[in-house]
C-alpha cells in the first residue's frame, strides 16, 4: 500500500469512526482530553500498521481493539495514577426549550444513571457501553474485547442484574 492510499484510508476512518472512538475512550478514561489523546494514538498506530492489517477483519473492530488497549495501557500508567480524573460525561438530553426545573431534574437523572453505570466494575461497564451506547452486537463485542461471545452475554446479564435494583431505586426517588 503506497503513502497516498494510506493517507486516504486514514482520513476516511478518522472521519467515519473518530467521534465514536472518542466516546469509547471516554468510557474508560472519563476525561475528554485524555480520550482524544487515546484516539489520536489509535490513529497513529493504525497508520503505522495499515500495511499489516488483514482486511478479512473489519477495520472498525480493529480500531476499537486498538483504542481499548490504548485506554487500558493509559489506566495502568503512572501518569494516570498521579492525575485525578477531572470530569464525567457532560452531555445531557435536552428537550426543545425545556423549563429550568425540568432541565435540572433531567440533568440530575442523567448524572445518576451515568454514575450508576460508572459504578460497575470495568468488565461490566465496557460491555454495557459497547452494547447500549455503541450498538455493537455481542459477536462484535467479543471480537473487540477478544473474549468468547458467551462471556459477553454473561457480563451483560450480570451488569443488568447489578443495575436493576439501582434503577428501581432511582425511579422510586423520582416520585
Amino acid at each position: 500500500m503506497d503513502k497516498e492510499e494510506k493517507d486516504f484510508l486514514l482520513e476516511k476512518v478518522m472521519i467515519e469512526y473518530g467521534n465514536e472512538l472518542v466516546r469509547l475512550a471516554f468510557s474508560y478514561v472519563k476525561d475528554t482530553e485524555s480520550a482524544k489523546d487515546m484516539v489520536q494514538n489509535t490513529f497513529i498506530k493504525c497508520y503505522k500498521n495499515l500495511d499489516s492489517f488483514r482486511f478479512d477483519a473489519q477495520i472498525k473492530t480493529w480500531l476499537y481493539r486498538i483504542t481499548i488497549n490504548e485506554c487500558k495501557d493509559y489506566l495502568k500508567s503512572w501518569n494516570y495514577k498521579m492525575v485525578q480524573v477531572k470530569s464525567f460525561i457532560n452531555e445531557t438530553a435536552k428537550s426543545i426549550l425545556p423549563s429550568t426545573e425540568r432541565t435540572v431534574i433531567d440533568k440530575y437523572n442523567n448524572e445518576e444513571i451515568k454514575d450508576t453505570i460508572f459504578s460497575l466494575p470495568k468488565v461490566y461497564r465496557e460491555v454495557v457501553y459497547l452494547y447500549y451506547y455503541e450498538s455493537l452486537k455481542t459477536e462484535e463485542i467479543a471480537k473487540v474485547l477478544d473474549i468468547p461471545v458467551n462471556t459477553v452475554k454473561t457480563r451483560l446479564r450480570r451488569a443488568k442484574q447489578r443495575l436493576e435494583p439501582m434503577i428501581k431505586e432511582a425511579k422510586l426517588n423520582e416520585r
Side-chain angles (χ1 to χ4, degrees), residues 4-54:
E4 211 171 276
E5 289 175 317
K6 283 174 73 173
D7 289 350
F8 174 77
L9 187 56
L10 180 66
E11 187 175 339
K12 182 181 175 191
V13 297
M14 286 174 75
I15 291 167
E16 193 166 340
Y17 302 116
N19 288 336
E20 58 190 87
L21 291 176
V22 170
R23 286 191 302 270
L24 172 64
F26 185 88
S27 76
Y28 280 84
V29 299
K30 299 179 189 82
D31 177 69
T32 305
E33 293 308 312
S34 297
K36 289 177 182 176
D37 289 345
M38 299 301 106
V39 173
Q40 186 174 11
N41 292 344
T42 296
F43 287 133
I44 291 168
K45 285 185 177 180
C46 171
Y47 187 81
K48 286 180 180 177
N49 295 300
L50 269 175
D51 292 327
S52 63
F53 178 68
R54 300 180 323 271

Side-chain angles (χ1 to χ4, degrees), residues 159-171:
K160 286 179 196 174
Q161 289 169 345
R162 286 176 176 231
L163 288 171
E164 198 170 359
M166 292 183 237
I167 291 171
K168 283 179 181 174
E169 182 180 322
K171 284 184 180 180

Side-chain angles (χ1 to χ4, degrees), residues 83-96:
V83 175
Q84 187 177 11
V85 176
K86 288 182 264 179
S87 64
F88 287 96
I89 299 172
N90 289 324
E91 299 171 15
T92 57
K94 295 179 182 174
S95 58
I96 300 170

Side-chain angles (χ1 to χ4, degrees), residues 132-147:
Y132 291 103
Y133 289 89
E134 292 299 330
S135 302
L136 294 183
K137 296 180 179 136
T138 53
E139 295 81 15
E140 292 172 312
I141 296 170
K143 286 180 187 174
V144 167
L145 298 177
D146 198 23
I147 57 176

Side-chain angles (χ1 to χ4, degrees), residues 64-77:
Y64 270 54
R65 178 171 280 149
I66 294 171
T67 303
I68 288 171
N69 288 337
E70 279 293 315
C71 292
K72 286 180 178 179
D73 290 346
Y74 172 74
L75 292 173
K76 290 181 210 169
S77 74

Side-chain angles (χ1 to χ4, degrees), residues 59-171:
I59 198 156
K60 179 179 180 178
T61 304
W62 185 52
L63 291 170
Y64 270 54
R65 178 171 280 149
I66 294 171
T67 303
I68 288 171
N69 288 337
E70 279 293 315
C71 292
K72 286 180 178 179
D73 290 346
Y74 172 74
L75 292 173
K76 290 181 210 169
S77 74
W78 179 85
N79 182 45
Y80 172 75
K81 290 176 182 171
M82 298 307 291
V83 175
Q84 187 177 11
V85 176
K86 288 182 264 179
S87 64
F88 287 96
I89 299 172
N90 289 324
E91 299 171 15
T92 57
K94 295 179 182 174
S95 58
I96 300 170
L97 300 173
S99 71
T100 305
E101 183 179 303
R102 186 77 236 156
T103 302
V104 170
I105 291 170
D106 288 348
K107 182 173 173 111
Y108 175 78
N109 289 339
N110 285 337
E111 291 300 321
E112 288 259 319
I113 291 168
K114 287 176 223 158
D115 289 346
T116 303
I117 291 171
F118 281 125
S119 73
L120 290 173
K122 183 177 67 82
V123 293
Y124 300 135
R125 188 175 61 233
E126 64 190 2
V127 294
V128 166
Y129 177 82
L130 292 171
Y131 189 79
Y132 291 103
Y133 289 89
E134 292 299 330
S135 302
L136 294 183
K137 296 180 179 136
T138 53
E139 295 81 15
E140 292 172 312
I141 296 170
K143 286 180 187 174
V144 167
L145 298 177
D146 198 23
I147 57 176
V149 173
N150 284 337
T151 302
V152 173
K153 291 177 182 176
T154 299
R155 288 180 182 177
L156 277 171
R157 188 180 70 251
R158 289 181 181 162
K160 286 179 196 174
Q161 289 169 345
R162 286 176 176 231
L163 288 171
E164 198 170 359
M166 292 183 237
I167 291 171
K168 283 179 181 174
E169 182 180 322
K171 284 184 180 180

